[in-house]
Amino acid sequence: DHDEDEFDVGVPQDSLLVIPADASLLDGLRALLVHHLKRSVGSHVISLSASQADLLEHHLARLASYATKIVHTLAFATRFLQKQHADERPSGGAGGDPTQGNAGLGTWGERSQQQAQMAQQQQQQQQQQQ
């Protein structure tokens, strides 16, 4: 009966944390949480009891699910705003000054506020469907 799980990525705690680009959101979040747990404990190896490991995995699954919703919501809002911007362009070509980037979409703060509002609306719709 193994009642302790050891988390050791084999690198010192003060090293850079590198998450592979193809890692799942769950695996990336796990690596980040374990990294910060190691920093808090002050050791590059931590031993968790079975109940601690279960607690970590339980909350990790919920966190990854929520993070996935955030990613999907922001991606949807970004695509929506990009399409809206493309539809507003004059029909005479690419339109606009290429040095202006996202001209016409407002400042980053305005765009992020719009995206947050859209994300909130989408989340409310998802909650109503459940």
Side-chain angles (χ1 to χ4, degrees), residues 45-123:
V45 176
I46 55 171
S47 294
L48 299 179
S49 68
S51 62
Q52 288 175 317
D54 288 344
L55 182 67
L56 174 67
E57 291 300 320
H58 170 76
H59 287 291
L60 186 59
R62 295 176 71 183
L63 180 61
S65 174
Y66 187 64
T68 299
K69 289 178 183 179
I70 293 169
V71 169
H72 289 165
T73 300
L74 292 175
F76 171 80
T78 301
R79 287 190 304 268
F80 175 81
L81 290 173
Q82 287 172 343
K83 183 180 183 321
Q84 187 178 31
H85 177 64
D87 290 346
E88 290 174 358
R89 287 186 182 169
S91 60
D97 181 352
T99 63
Q100 295 300 310
N102 289 327
L105 284 179
T107 66
W108 183 86
E110 291 169 342
R111 289 192 307 277
S112 62
Q113 185 178 15
Q114 291 170 344
Q115 290 172 340
Q117 289 171 346
M118 291 173 59
Q120 185 178 20
Q121 290 171 353
Q122 186 179 23
Q123 185 178 18

